[in-house]
Amino acid sequence: MSLLPHLILYLTLLTVVVTGETLRPRFYSETCPEAESIVRREMKKAMIKEARSVASVMRFQFHDCFVNGCDASLLLDDTPNMLGEKLSLSNIDSLRSFEVVDDIKEALEKACPATVSCADIVIMAARDAVALTGGPDWEVKLGRKDSLTASQQDSDDIMPSPRANATFLIDLFERFNLSVKDMVALSGSHSIGQGRCFSIMFRLYNQSGSGKPDPALEPSYRKKLDNLCPLGGDENVTGDLDATPQVFDNQYFKDLVSGRGFLNSDQTLYTNLVTREYVKMFSEDQDEFFRAFAEGMVKLGDLQSGRPGEIRFNCRVVNRRPIDVLLVS
């Protein structure tokens, strides 16, 4: 059997297995000029179908970029030879709406086959989730490649727990050259969406091993959470992360000031003196929060591992390696 067809396919695949490039706005202006409008269109569809889904997709950027850079490793399914990130401690039973990215990728593949990376989809979709729910809109830098692997262990080692305090978060973000202001602003992603009772049971019933609730919880809000998440109840029940969970605004910070933060990692931003000034600033000035959030998302999107990558045809699986193609007979 002639190897020529396999060699041609090998060379085709080789063109999309490259190292990271310099990111820039309007990266697809010539190769896929409708890319950003297609992503926004699909995000609008997802929001109409289920309002919560866009908040879920927005979180992909944080969970992806902190683990070896913004390379869509988060989206890879497990294989017999690889434990991916979807089942890591911070993601299992928490991250959802991966099918929205699948739909976006399918639409892009129809318009511009093998052109737009899944990593860039995550960045564009996160921006659109914010803009479509009333938050700021900003220009995104594109040109990322998709990783060839994923690591559950790397995610477990890096991603913070809902129990994390502000000091831990400051140190974590600093590792990625993100300032205290960046960290507080990006925590404002919890302006939309919901969290599970699982993430707050310790706050309600055994904060710091005390056998008592978190004293920072405002009493009437604590009672509301007690009813939502009773001891021994279903810990997969979800509650709103702020008082306006479908609108991206600064209500999240107003809630923290009043002791109504859902997660410990949220409320600690107000109880900590270093981060409190930014919480108060953003609670009083929504425009400043919007500016800081957009700047933080751009910085977060700049994180790259520098490892070789590709343009996946399906965001959940790595493309067949060229050597596999050559071995087919």
Side-chain angles (χ1 to χ4, degrees):
M1 185 183 217
S2 171
L3 285 177
L4 182 58
H6 299 145
L7 181 60
I8 292 172
L9 184 52
Y10 166 80
L11 293 173
T12 300
L13 285 172
L14 194 60
T15 62
V16 294
V17 184
V18 296
T19 56
E21 297 180 7
T22 301
L23 306 178
R24 66 177 188 272
R26 298 177 294 281
F27 181 84
Y28 299 107
S29 60
E30 295 184 4
T31 57
C32 191
E34 299 301 312
E36 293 193 50
S37 61
I38 289 172
V39 174
R40 183 155 297 197
R41 183 191 71 206
E42 294 299 318
M43 287 293 286
K44 286 180 180 178
K45 289 181 182 178
M47 186 168 70
I48 292 171
K49 186 176 180 180
E50 185 199 12
R52 184 186 172 195
S53 66
V54 293
S56 302
V57 171
M58 177 187 61
R59 304 203 208 299
F60 290 170
Q61 179 170 339
F62 174 59
H63 287 253
D64 184 44
C65 293
F66 258 30
V67 184
N68 300 315
C70 309
D71 59 4
S73 59
L74 173 71
L75 305 179
L76 288 173
D77 289 338
D78 288 356
T79 72
N81 301 313
M82 183 198 74
L83 288 178
E85 297 161 27
K86 289 181 177 178
L87 299 183
S88 68
L89 295 174
S90 63
N91 298 339
I92 187 170
D93 296 327
S94 178
L95 292 188
R96 57 192 297 280
S97 300
F98 291 99
E99 70 280 357
V100 176
V101 175
D102 294 338
D103 291 342
I104 294 171
K105 181 62 172 173
E106 182 179 355
L108 287 167
E109 285 298 305
K110 288 179 180 178
C112 319
T115 301
V116 181
S117 70
C118 300
D120 279 344
I121 290 174
V122 169
I123 299 299
M124 289 185 279
R127 182 267 312 271
D128 292 347
V130 174
L132 290 171
T133 52
D137 204 342
W138 63 92
E139 189 170 56
V140 291
K141 292 186 283 186
L142 305 170
R144 297 165 189 79
K145 295 298 183 289
D146 301 323
S147 70
L148 306 178
T149 188
S151 172
Q152 184 180 120
Q153 187 61 55
D154 287 352
S155 181
D156 286 341
D157 290 344
I158 294 171
M159 294 304 298
S161 158
R163 299 189 182 200
N165 61 36
T167 300
F168 176 88
L169 294 172
I170 290 170
D171 292 343
L172 175 64
F173 277 67
E174 189 177 61
R175 289 169 53 188
F176 298 97
N177 293 317
L178 293 166
S179 68
V180 175
K181 184 178 182 180
D182 293 330
M183 185 271 285
V184 178
L186 289 172
S187 296
S189 63
H190 290 170
S191 170
I192 54 175
Q194 298 180 317
R196 293 187 301 148
C197 287
F198 171 82
S199 300
I200 63 170
M201 296 302 288
F202 72 99
R203 288 193 75 201
L204 296 177
Y205 304 107
N206 192 28
Q207 178 77 331
S208 302
S210 66
K212 299 178 181 179
D214 181 357
L217 280 166
E218 190 272 326
S220 64
Y221 182 62
R222 188 188 72 215
K223 184 176 180 180
K224 176 183 177 181
L225 293 182
D226 284 343
N227 291 333
L228 178 71
C229 308
L231 196 62
D234 182 358
E235 296 187 3
N236 286 315
V237 169
T238 58
D240 298 335
L241 290 174
D242 81 349
T244 56
Q246 294 185 19
V247 180
F248 194 97
D249 55 17
N250 68 337
Q251 182 63 46
Y252 165 82
F253 296 103
K254 294 178 181 179
D255 287 349
L256 298 188
V257 172
S258 62
R260 299 172 70 86
F262 187 80
L263 300 175
N264 188 75
S265 54
D266 292 331
Q267 193 60 53
T268 186
L269 300 179
Y270 189 69
T271 56
N272 183 285
L273 296 180
V274 176
T275 51
R276 179 183 293 180
E277 63 175 299
Y278 294 111
V279 172
K280 293 180 68 176
M281 177 194 302
F282 296 149
S283 72
E284 297 166 359
D285 190 339
Q286 181 168 278
D287 289 340
E288 179 59 30
F289 163 50
F290 281 6
R291 282 191 294 271
F293 184 84
E295 290 172 5
M297 289 292 274
V298 171
K299 290 182 183 179
L300 183 61
D302 284 342
L303 298 178
Q304 296 186 76
S305 69
R307 300 186 300 192
E310 65 179 6
I311 303 295
R312 284 185 219 139
F313 308 131
N314 177 337
C315 290
R316 294 175 183 254
V317 296
V318 173
N319 298 339
R320 297 179 68 189
R321 304 268 43 84
I323 187 67
D324 296 330
V325 175
L326 289 177
L327 290 175
V328 174
S329 60

